[in-house]
Amino acid sequence: MPPFGTLAVPQSEDRAVLLAYTVVGTLLLVTGQQLAKVARRAGRAEAATRDAADHLLQVERDARHRFDVALNSAGVPFFIVTPVVRDGQVTELRWDYLNEAAAQLFNEGSGVVIGSSTSYVRPAGWDADILLERLAPLAAQRHGRDAFDVRVQGGNGEQWFHVVAASLDGSVVAWFGDVTARVRAEQALAEADRRKDEFLATLAHELRNPLAPIRQVAEILEQPGLTDGRRKWCTTLLRRQSAAMALLLDDLLDVSRITRGALSLRKEAVALKEAIDDAVETARPMLDGKGHELVVKLPARPVHLEADRLRLSQVIANLLTNAAKYTQPGGHIELTATADEAEIVLSVGDNGIGIEPDKLSAIFSMFSQVNPDHHRQGGLGIGLALSKSLIELHGGRLTASSAGKDKGSCFSIHLPANCRVVPPEMPTRDALAIPSSIKTRRILVVDDNVDAADAMTALLELEGHEVRTVYSGEEAVEILSRYSPEVILLDLGLPGMSGLDVARHIRATPSMKDVTLVAITGWGQPQDRARTADAGFDFHFTKPVDVGQLSQAIEGAVASA
């Protein structure tokens, strides 16, 4: 670029000054340019250093994030603690890190955990002394390692944790997991092993009990001059003791079959009274031998169940013999049966030694004994466990209750109401087999077929019963307001209000709950019997009704009243 003009400097001194400024200015300009280059290079270096620092910081953050994600996703509690040293000794531990699984074990009211002392803040139920005792020594080691179990009594009851800890640069890292299930399983195995040993000892004892009198009776029978009375006594004893041995072996076989899933029920329509009679007959020697008073209370109406008669009787007999066994001689035992729309309950109560509250939950376990002195009382400790399994196979449950030691106990069989059935028709009986003397009852006959109703009425009156007859469902409901029959013969195919509707009305009336209802119908298929059972009928007979069967049904109602 050309100069803008010229400047005249006449004085030589001024020219010297100007020259000096020009030289200095040129030097300053050159120096400034160099400094600018240096500044630019320094700026670039500083930026590179800052970027490197930011990069290192981001790498550290990413590593910490991956560390947290890895430890949290594992789902296993993990923590890091650092010892606090005072006067050369570790006095406490400080929480330095917790993953999410470990943090969840702390109470919400614990506040800030990180940085806190294990003496004041720790998982619920944990012992600070145990943590200090087991973890502090590891902090002083370079490659220390330890593993141990910790028992915790928390809000969920007793728990067990397995801790694996290791040294880490003056701190301690540790994983721990809930091993409660494992510890309980080990305890259960040890308890089962102990009970097995007790069971084998008891089995040997119980089998020797009947063998001793059997051997003695064998020697008695060899004696000359044995009287008929003594021989009869020997025979009775042999039968009783051999039956006792058979029961022991049957229980063992049944337990084995249930355990293997090989036991199946043979269900049929069973009269509850007959099953109870079988059980009482089985338990009678034990009851009489100890002079117990047995009271049996049955529902006024006959009850029939779809059940395995043998197994149901076996359970009831077991409850009766247990009651006899654990009740002092001359005790009182009561067997009560009730049936309603919800369930059927059979209870065996006694005034015997009772059961302590802490033992109630264990009495249905295999090989358990109600009384620790089981050798004196007898029994293998499998009867209640077997009974419980048999009732559960029937869809029911077995429960126990007691007010405490020496206050008696009660065992109850609960069966669902849907197992109640109408009994099948019995084989036709010869008319001559009909009892000539039947206790008279008040009977209501309901049938829209006038001739059939009147003929039935005449037959029942010949047997001495008091009979009323109506020809519709509406009339049946109306007459019940002024007449209280004990047995109702009810046709199902009534015009208007059907026999099923009448039955439901009767069962819904509290004052009529004990009436015996007999269905008279031309329908006899299984689904028809199911309908009458649901409506509350006690018997289901198809037309023409067999007189012998009807008389037996009325006789059964009388016997259960």
Side-chain angles (χ1 to χ4, degrees):
M1 175 179 288
F4 291 103
T6 60
L7 176 64
V9 182
Q11 298 297 328
S12 59
E13 293 86 355
D14 292 337
R15 286 196 294 272
V17 172
L18 179 60
L19 178 62
Y21 275 114
T22 300
V23 172
V24 172
T26 302
L27 292 174
L28 290 175
L29 177 61
V30 172
T31 301
Q33 291 174 344
Q34 294 300 320
L35 288 174
K37 292 179 181 178
V38 172
R40 284 195 296 271
R41 287 197 296 268
R44 286 194 295 270
E46 181 182 357
T49 301
R50 187 167 54 249
D51 290 344
D54 290 343
H55 177 71
L56 289 174
L57 182 60
Q58 186 61 43
V59 169
E60 182 181 349
R61 288 173 178 169
D62 290 345
R64 177 60 181 263
H65 176 70
R66 287 194 294 270
F67 178 75
D68 288 339
V69 170
L71 291 177
N72 290 330
S73 63
V76 179
F78 173 84
F79 64 83
I80 301 176
V81 292
T82 300
V84 177
V85 180
R86 294 187 180 93
D87 298 329
Q89 292 193 1
V90 177
T91 58
E92 59 183 346
L93 300 172
R94 184 184 68 241
W95 299 106
D96 278 351
Y97 178 83
L98 295 169
N99 69 348
E100 293 179 358
Q104 291 176 0
L105 297 176
F106 287 78
N107 293 328
E108 294 182 2
S110 297
V112 178
V113 177
I114 301 301
S116 300
S117 169
T118 58
S119 299
Y120 305 104
V121 180
R122 57 188 177 276
W126 284 57
D127 190 324
D129 293 335
I130 292 179
L131 288 174
L132 184 62
E133 176 186 347
R134 300 304 295 258
L135 300 182
L138 295 176
Q141 304 174 28
R142 289 182 58 83
H143 303 291
R145 182 181 175 85
D146 192 10
F148 55 93
D149 288 342
V150 175
R151 177 181 175 275
V152 176
Q153 193 66 36
N156 297 326
E158 184 183 75
Q159 289 180 281
W160 288 85
F161 291 90
H162 184 68
V163 182
V164 178
S167 305
L168 179 65
D169 298 331
S171 296
V172 179
V173 297
W175 300 89
F176 63 100
D178 190 338
V179 293
T180 305
R182 187 207 72 192
V183 172
R184 288 178 178 170
E186 291 172 351
Q187 292 173 342
L189 285 174
E191 177 66 13
D193 190 59
R194 182 188 65 80
R195 289 186 176 180
K196 179 259 298 179
D197 292 340
E198 288 185 358
F199 166 73
L200 292 175
T202 305
L203 176 61
H205 173 82
E206 290 299 309
L207 290 176
R208 287 192 183 99
N209 275 344
L211 283 176
I214 288 174
R215 175 178 291 181
Q216 293 166 1
V217 165
E219 294 177 357
I220 293 174
L221 290 173
E222 292 177 348
Q223 300 299 319
L226 197 65
T227 64
D228 290 341
R230 177 60 69 178
R231 183 176 288 103
K232 183 177 181 181
W233 174 84
C234 290
T235 303
T236 303
L237 187 145
L238 287 173
R239 288 174 177 167
R240 184 167 60 247
Q241 295 301 326
S242 60
M245 291 185 66
L247 286 176
L248 289 175
L249 297 175
D250 286 344
D251 281 352
L252 287 172
L253 292 174
D254 285 345
V255 168
S256 175
R257 283 194 287 264
I258 289 178
T259 303
R260 292 182 288 107
L263 182 65
S264 59
L265 301 179
R266 296 180 177 86
K267 290 187 176 182
E268 59 181 346
V270 178
L272 181 61
K273 182 179 183 302
E274 294 177 357
I276 290 176
D277 287 345
D278 292 346
V280 171
E281 182 180 348
T282 301
R284 180 61 67 185
M286 173 74 77
L287 294 166
D288 292 344
K290 296 190 70 173
H292 293 315
E293 175 193 19
L294 175 65
V295 176
V296 179
K297 297 181 180 180
L298 301 180
R301 292 169 49 207
V303 176
H304 290 78
L305 311 172
E306 184 180 19
D308 186 318
R309 176 172 174 173
L310 175 64
R311 299 303 181 186
L312 183 59
S313 298
Q314 180 182 354
V315 173
I316 301 171
N318 183 46
L319 298 184
L320 287 172
T321 53
N322 261 2
K325 186 186 303 179
Y326 294 104
T327 300
Q328 298 298 331
H332 177 82
I333 298 173
E334 189 168 294
L335 194 164
T336 304
T338 60
D340 55 31
E341 295 180 358
E343 60 181 0
I344 299 153
V345 181
L346 292 85
S347 298
V348 176
D350 60 63
N351 60 346
I353 66 173
I355 307 171
E356 297 176 5
D358 60 338
K359 296 179 181 177
L360 270 174
S361 61
I363 58 175
F364 293 114
S365 300
M366 190 67 69
F367 310 142
S368 67
Q369 300 286 339
V370 175
N371 188 326
D373 187 13
H374 53 272
H375 290 293
R376 179 174 60 85
Q377 299 294 346
L380 298 178
I382 62 177
L384 288 177
L386 173 62
S387 297
K388 180 175 180 289
S389 298
L390 289 173
I391 293 302
E392 288 174 349
L393 285 175
H394 281 84
R397 55 194 175 92
L398 182 61
T399 62
S401 61
S402 175
K405 186 177 180 181
D406 298 325
K407 295 184 179 180
S409 58
C410 181
F411 288 83
S412 298
I413 300 168
H414 301 259
L415 296 172
N418 60 15
C419 73
R420 185 167 182 170
V421 296
V422 171
E425 293 184 30
M426 298 160 286
T428 302
R429 299 190 305 173
D430 186 18
L432 295 177
I434 301 175
S436 59
S437 177
I438 299 178
K439 184 177 180 180
T440 60
R441 302 298 284 179
R442 296 187 304 277
I443 302 176
L444 174 64
V445 176
V446 186
D447 197 330
D448 63 315
N449 185 322
V450 176
D451 289 342
D454 291 347
M456 179 65 71
T457 299
L459 177 63
L460 294 172
E461 287 178 339
L462 285 175
E463 292 186 347
H465 298 296
E466 176 188 323
V467 188
R468 297 287 186 275
T469 309
V470 294
Y471 307 104
S472 70
E474 291 78 8
E475 287 181 285
V477 172
E478 190 276 331
I479 197 175
L480 290 176
S481 62
R482 61 180 188 276
Y483 180 65
S484 299
E486 296 162 289
V487 179
I488 299 178
L489 309 184
L490 185 57
D491 179 35
L492 298 186
L494 299 172
M497 191 175 189
S498 71
L500 293 172
D501 293 333
V502 174
R504 295 188 185 100
H505 172 81
I506 291 171
R507 291 305 180 214
T509 305
S511 60
M512 305 292 291
K513 65 182 180 64
D514 292 334
V515 172
T516 297
L517 280 181
V518 181
I520 307 294
T521 178
W523 303 96
Q525 296 301 310
Q527 60 269 27
D528 302 316
R529 294 181 177 277
R531 289 167 58 215
T532 53
D534 291 340
F537 282 92
D538 299 297
F539 296 93
H540 180 121
F541 293 133
T542 54
K543 297 179 179 179
V545 179
D546 176 76
V547 177
Q549 293 178 357
L550 181 59
S551 297
Q552 189 170 349
I554 295 174
E555 179 184 351
V558 171
S560 62

